[in-house]
Every structure is written in C-alpha cells, then in structure tokens.
Amino acid sequence: MRGRAQDRARVAGGQDHEVKNEAKKEGVSKGAVKKAVKSAGNSRKKVEAEIDRR
C-alpha cells in the first residue's frame, strides 16, 4: 500500500513545522511566513515571492 503523497507546492500556514521550515529556508521569522501565506495564499512559489518583495 502506498502512503499519502506530500504536496510540496503548498505551505500549510496552520502547521507550525511547515511555517518553521519555510522561515528557516527563507531566513525570515515565522510571523513573516504566516503574513505571506495570509496575503499570497498557500502556493509555495507565491509565498516565496511575497517574502522576497518585503
């Protein structure tokens, strides 16, 4: 049986570990990632673009 595939194209803003990993990767605070998810949606590319704009 296969396990569930993880969707790496999305950032789950409600999942602390996802927010923490993205914050570490981008070199910003967890709050900055949460704000980016809230304004840009949960698409990883859009979140990263939003963080780069700030």
Side-chain angles (χ1 to χ4, degrees):
M1 188 177 349
R2 297 179 112 173
R4 293 189 318 176
Q6 293 182 351
D7 187 0
R8 294 287 170 211
R10 307 268 180 229
V11 178
Q15 297 290 321
D16 191 54
H17 66 279
E18 289 245 357
V19 173
K20 184 173 137 184
N21 290 341
E22 190 66 23
K24 184 177 179 182
K25 179 179 142 192
E26 294 295 321
V28 297
S29 68
K30 291 192 307 184
V33 173
K34 286 185 178 188
K35 283 182 184 178
V37 170
K38 192 169 187 173
S39 67
N42 65 349
S43 165
R44 190 169 302 276
K45 286 182 182 181
K46 289 181 180 179
V47 168
E48 289 171 358
E50 181 71 19
I51 289 170
D52 289 342
R53 282 184 21 195
R54 295 178 183 202

